Amino acid sequence: MLRTTRFCVWSYRWAVPAMVAAIFLISLINLTGTRAKESLVSYIISTSVVYMVLIPLILSVLQTPQTVRFALTMGQTRRSLWAELPCVTLAFTLFLDTGLCAAFAVQCRLFLGQWVPGVFVPAVFVLFVAASIAFSALGQLVGLLGHRFGGRGWLGGLVGLLALIVAAGLAVAFAPYSVQQGMVLLFFDPARTWAAVSASVLGALVVCGAVQAASWLILRRICVK
């Protein structure tokens, strides 16, 4: 049951904690040069969000071709692998996010004297994890494209992913002031936060469903060499 998922997580059992430890040490070095409490809070939250989204994405892009090659070589059918790929992606994402959240809490404890910033609503963690899972699923799709089509697949997938990230960043940067203010209020208004969390979870499910459908179209034409 979930043999490929268990093998992949076991294979990365030391690599993931090592990545989290390296990120934690880099953050500590940067935080020691910051004095204002507001700057500390801003740095800790912003870097944690970036790491929780980008690190699972990068790992998903890199490990998906290896997972597909290993599973098909060891006799797993394409259909069963396709059904298990979301489990692999979810396991890696939660594995990484758990470590990153622990590092986030320790940083807050060391520099702010509390486990989370006073303005931070715990539900925001769910929002970040949902975004992390969605981007990990997109990373799975990029990895499959690269494995199936070689250089063209890698280039097309990475360019498309980069365009999506840039478009999302521009949408936030050029959003009306009222929208930006509403995003800030996520940290202060629990009701508003839970509404955003529900929308983000729904959006993550839609992205994962679309990626899963596209993954089958690619996976069924992958050959073991």
Side-chain angles (χ1 to χ4, degrees):
M1 186 68 176
L2 300 179
R3 180 181 61 180
T4 299
T5 303
R6 288 185 283 111
F7 178 81
C8 290
V9 174
W10 181 85
S11 299
Y12 282 82
R13 68 192 185 281
W14 300 117
V16 170
M19 283 188 285
V20 173
I23 291 170
F24 179 70
L25 291 176
I26 293 172
S27 297
L28 285 184
I29 294 172
N30 292 328
L31 284 168
T32 52
T34 306
R35 293 290 181 266
K37 185 174 181 180
E38 294 77 9
S39 299
L40 289 172
V41 173
S42 176
Y43 178 84
I44 292 173
I45 292 177
S46 60
T47 54
S48 298
V49 172
V50 171
Y51 288 141
M52 285 180 67
V53 173
L54 290 185
I55 301 300
L57 165 65
I58 294 171
L59 183 60
S60 182
V61 170
L62 296 177
Q63 64 84 26
T64 297
Q66 301 176 13
T67 299
V68 171
R69 190 179 300 110
F70 163 78
L72 296 182
T73 301
M74 301 309 293
Q76 187 170 10
T77 64
R78 289 169 177 77
R79 187 173 295 276
S80 64
L81 175 60
W82 171 74
E84 193 174 351
L85 276 178
C87 298
V88 177
T89 301
L90 181 63
F92 270 119
T93 304
L94 295 180
F95 190 11
L96 271 164
D97 283 352
T98 299
L100 292 172
C101 285
F104 167 81
V106 172
Q107 289 173 16
C108 291
R109 184 63 183 175
L110 290 175
F111 292 93
L112 303 178
Q114 51 194 11
W115 292 109
V116 294
V119 299
F120 202 78
V121 179
V124 175
F125 274 120
V126 181
L127 190 153
F128 293 158
V129 171
S132 181
I133 292 173
F135 273 93
S136 293
L138 292 171
Q140 170 192 308
L141 182 59
V142 173
L144 284 174
L145 286 170
H147 187 58
R148 171 66 180 85
F149 299 105
R152 291 178 301 169
W154 285 115
L155 181 60
L158 292 175
V159 168
L161 183 60
L162 181 61
L164 181 63
I165 294 174
V166 170
L170 291 176
V172 173
F174 292 99
Y177 178 76
S178 59
V179 175
Q180 296 180 351
Q181 194 69 14
M183 295 174 66
V184 174
L185 289 175
L186 291 178
F187 295 96
F188 300 92
D189 186 353
R192 188 188 297 264
T193 300
W194 281 114
V197 166
S198 301
S200 65
V201 170
L202 180 60
L205 290 174
V206 171
V207 171
C208 291
V211 167
Q212 189 67 0
S215 295
W216 172 244
L217 297 176
I218 300 170
L219 187 61
R220 67 180 182 175
R221 296 187 178 277
I222 290 178
C223 299
V224 180
K225 298 181 180 179

